[in-house]
Amino acid sequence: MSDADSPMHVFDMLARVFINENVTTCFSLLGDANMNWATRLAEQGCRMIYVRHEHCAAAAAMAYARKTGDVGVATVTCGPGLTQLTTALPAAVRARLPLVIFAGEAPLNSGWYNQAIDQAPIITATGAAYHSLHHVERMPTAIRDAFLQAKRERRPVVLGVPFDLQNRAWTGSEALPTASAELLPKLSPIPPNPTDVDQAAALISKAEKIVVVAGLGAVEAEAGSACRELAQRCDGLLAVTLPARGLFHDDPFSLSIAGGFSTKFARDCFAEADLVIAVGCSLARHNADAGKLWPNAKVLQIDMDPITISQGRIAADAHLRADARLGVEALASAIAERSPAWRSDELADAIRTTPADDTPFDLEPDVHDPRDVVSALEAELPADWQMVNSSGHCSYFFAQMPSRPQERFLTIREFGAIGNGISFAMGVAAANPDDTVVMFDGDGSLLMHIQELETIKRHGLNILIIVLNDGAYGSEIHKLRAEGLSDEGAVFGRTDLAAIARGFGVGGETINDLSRLPELIAQFKATGGAAVWDVPVSDQVISPVIQRAHPPKHSS
């Protein structure tokens, strides 16, 4: 019997619903409970990225969602396939990323199944939503509703579908439900209340040194130009949260990152500020460095959903409820333009030339200072490459690349987990297939999921991975040393990552001489493909984040 003569199965219909939701890319690892559905999804025109670990499917979908603004889609099998999601999902929840994950469930018609597990509590514990789809005729509508929920709530939705139900013949209507895009309300930006604008303007009039800090809400509302105008009119400076890093990359009065990753000079400027205007920011602890970044400043928050308490601390003193762009524009129009006092050519020059951190360290022989590595990369990497920053100790250094615009720099680190960088790079590459992606990582993080080099090779993804290799878990060794404890459990030696990369069939280079970078970058730009560049760095250089949080304890 030909495929054309085969009866339509439930998994056929469910694949059609995903296509009807305009799903064009899905990150997948196949098993008994999802492979038939995933195969049909591929046959109906969806691009499938078949990864080597379920966590990586979800993490790649996260980056894809961030870069495209669409719902990220992934699929895993039931039981052990689903349990592998429990690191990625909290990160997606906290980053407010909409995902729909098609996960199987154990068959209902079996009295015993070795991979059966109560999946719902595992998923809901992460903050994601879970729906068991057990009513066959309603499955298409339930899937459509999952896309609605993911978009409206901006969080992951996991669908559990028993695979014996998927394999049944489809006997219902073949009419597809109305797609979620047609049902979502068309939300216009909300302007601010005039009284609230007047109160915010009065607060500005009493302040002398103001910093306008923009977050992802400002990026999404396209409020960057309005923030620049507001800062200029009140003689203030600009800054961004880490996820919005690079929004003001070409402004001479941008302090870049506000938070734990702030430069030494930015921290000095924040210490002088008496008002911070937070535009589209969540005001998380890291953003304010737990309140230590601007100790003398009041905070005015401009947001659609303003808050006072964030992550256990009072985060804002005053609020302006509005769309980020409309709120900032209204506020800029309501204040008188000041003559420059804080802003000056001398200040702009200091912002531009002062090193992010100049703490002296004694380096071991034949290794690099990670700050020198990042400075060399900043000078040489093409401006149009997509950049992905992973997590861990190395991520502070890689964030200090001030010329890179926000739309070409991605970081997702709300859950603080390492090991995500290679997955995020795959998601960015899938979202931008014509671009080169360069991913920055540490050796410990990359080794957690280095098997995905095979995925990158097999799918022809154009990804360059640059690793600061200190032969250890960087954050942990510095914390242990600060406590006066042995670092033995966090030191592993410098794995030959370049050789491993070549074993996977991609390029591999160990960079002992930074003067080789221009030539190597030119070669990679000409050839594309995939490669790992292993850069040995000192394990004596401590990021300012760790220096402040874990100063050495001296014995009495």
Side-chain angles (χ1 to χ4, degrees):
M1 181 182 293
S2 68
D3 288 344
D5 298 326
S6 299
M8 183 176 179
H9 292 86
V10 172
F11 59 75
D12 291 298
M13 185 63 185
L14 302 190
R16 291 185 183 184
V17 177
F18 272 76
I19 296 296
N20 193 53
E21 288 293 329
N22 198 33
V23 174
T24 58
T25 300
C26 177
F27 301 90
S28 173
L29 201 157
L30 303 185
D32 287 345
N34 70 332
M35 60 186 184
N36 291 354
W37 170 85
T39 299
R40 285 292 191 257
L41 188 67
E43 290 173 352
Q44 293 181 32
C46 180
R47 181 189 187 191
M48 307 297 286
I49 306 293
Y50 297 106
V51 301
R52 288 290 193 161
H53 193 283
E54 290 90 352
H55 166 88
C56 299
M62 289 167 56
Y64 184 88
R66 172 64 59 80
K67 293 302 288 189
T68 63
D70 296 331
V71 175
V73 175
T75 182
V76 299
T77 193
C78 64
L82 179 129
T83 59
Q84 301 282 23
L85 302 178
T86 54
T87 298
L89 289 179
V93 169
R94 298 179 188 201
R96 303 190 69 231
L97 293 169
L99 307 179
V100 171
I101 299 178
F102 185 99
E105 272 189 2
L108 296 180
N109 64 4
S110 175
W112 178 86
Y113 181 70
N114 69 322
Q115 293 185 341
I117 191 173
D118 189 357
Q119 297 187 166
I122 294 172
I123 298 302
T124 57
T126 70
Y130 185 85
H131 298 297
S132 294
L133 274 54
H134 290 180
H135 190 280
V136 171
E137 287 76 14
R138 198 180 181 282
M139 284 182 185
T141 300
I143 290 172
R144 187 275 314 279
D145 290 350
F147 278 87
L148 276 172
Q149 183 179 8
K151 293 174 182 178
R152 183 173 62 84
E153 298 178 6
R154 297 186 65 166
R155 65 172 175 145
V157 180
V158 179
L159 300 174
V161 191
F163 66 87
D164 57 338
L165 298 187
Q166 295 180 46
N167 293 334
R168 287 185 179 180
W170 177 257
T171 58
S173 170
E174 295 188 19
L176 294 168
T178 303
S180 62
E182 298 180 39
L183 297 178
L184 283 170
K186 308 300 182 185
L187 300 179
S188 299
I190 297 176
N193 182 282
T195 300
D196 295 343
V197 173
D198 291 341
Q199 292 174 347
L203 188 62
I204 289 176
S205 69
K206 298 174 184 177
E208 294 184 0
K209 291 190 174 182
I210 299 169
V211 182
V212 178
V213 179
L216 280 182
V219 174
E220 293 174 5
E222 299 182 346
S225 296
C227 289
R228 292 177 191 245
E229 174 68 13
L230 176 62
Q232 187 272 325
R233 289 184 66 81
C234 64
D235 185 37
L237 307 182
L238 290 159
V240 290
T241 63
L242 179 59
R245 195 223 64 84
L247 181 60
F248 308 123
H249 72 283
D250 56 352
D251 194 293
F253 295 104
S254 171
L255 301 174
S256 192
I257 301 165
F261 282 16
S262 290
T263 66
K264 180 179 179 181
F265 190 81
R267 296 183 72 86
D268 292 341
C269 291
F270 273 112
E272 297 181 44
D274 54 2
L275 178 64
V276 169
I277 303 175
V279 183
C281 303
S282 65
L283 294 176
R285 289 180 67 89
H286 284 94
N287 182 199
D289 201 10
K292 298 187 291 289
L293 186 59
W294 46 72
N296 304 309
K298 292 185 175 180
V299 176
L300 166 65
Q301 186 190 27
I302 302 176
D303 201 275
M304 291 286 291
D305 184 22
I307 57 174
T308 299
I309 302 294
S310 175
Q311 299 179 352
R313 54 179 294 275
I314 297 175
D317 305 285
H319 307 90
L320 178 60
R321 182 177 182 269
D323 168 79
R325 180 179 60 81
L326 296 183
V328 173
E329 288 176 346
L331 193 52
S333 298
I335 64 173
E337 185 169 1
R338 300 182 184 183
S339 299
W342 200 9
R343 288 186 168 208
S344 66
D345 291 341
E346 292 76 16
L347 179 65
D349 185 65
I351 292 172
R352 181 177 59 83
T353 60
T354 304
D357 174 58
D358 58 1
T359 306
F361 296 99
D362 293 326
L363 274 61
E364 318 93 292
D366 303 321
V367 293
H368 301 290
D369 187 320
R371 297 169 295 187
D372 294 339
V373 177
V374 171
S375 294
L377 293 171
E378 164 76 338
E380 299 296 340
L381 287 172
D384 60 349
W385 283 11
Q386 295 282 348
M387 299 191 173
V388 177
N389 196 2
S390 188
S391 196
H393 187 249
C394 67
S395 61
Y396 166 84
F397 303 109
F398 283 127
Q400 309 303 328
M401 303 179 76
S403 74
R404 307 296 164 166
Q406 189 276 334
E407 63 270 17
R408 293 190 174 273
F409 198 99
L410 176 137
T411 185
I412 305 171
R413 45 180 295 119
E414 281 80 356
F415 195 43
I418 65 172
N420 289 313
I422 196 166
S423 305
F424 291 162
M426 292 190 296
V428 172
N432 301 273
D434 296 327
D435 291 350
T436 297
V437 177
V438 56
M439 192 274 283
F440 308 119
D441 214 344
D443 54 307
S445 178
L446 180 63
L447 283 167
M448 285 187 170
H449 288 295
I450 200 166
Q451 76 283 340
E452 299 304 331
L453 288 176
E454 191 278 330
T455 304
I456 291 170
K457 168 71 172 178
R458 176 166 31 88
H459 284 285
L461 303 178
N462 197 26
I463 299 174
L464 169 63
I465 297 172
I466 300 177
V467 186
L468 294 185
N469 188 347
D470 63 2
Y473 287 146
S475 294
E476 283 66 29
I477 60 172
H478 298 307
K479 293 174 185 177
L480 288 166
R481 292 170 185 174
E483 293 289 333
L485 299 173
S486 170
D487 62 9
E488 180 181 358
V491 175
F492 308 105
R494 290 184 174 85
T495 302
D496 190 344
L497 300 173
I500 291 175
R502 292 192 293 270
F504 278 107
V506 303
E509 296 281 349
T510 299
I511 300 180
N512 295 310
D513 182 357
L514 294 180
S515 68
R516 295 182 62 207
L517 281 176
E519 176 189 359
L520 289 173
I521 290 170
Q523 290 175 354
F524 191 87
K525 185 176 182 179
T527 62
V532 174
W533 293 355
D534 184 356
V535 188
V537 298
S538 172
D539 69 1
Q540 300 300 308
V541 180
I542 310 172
S543 74
V545 181
I546 301 295
Q547 292 179 46
R548 291 191 302 271
H550 300 274
K553 292 184 177 180
H554 301 286
S555 59
S556 58

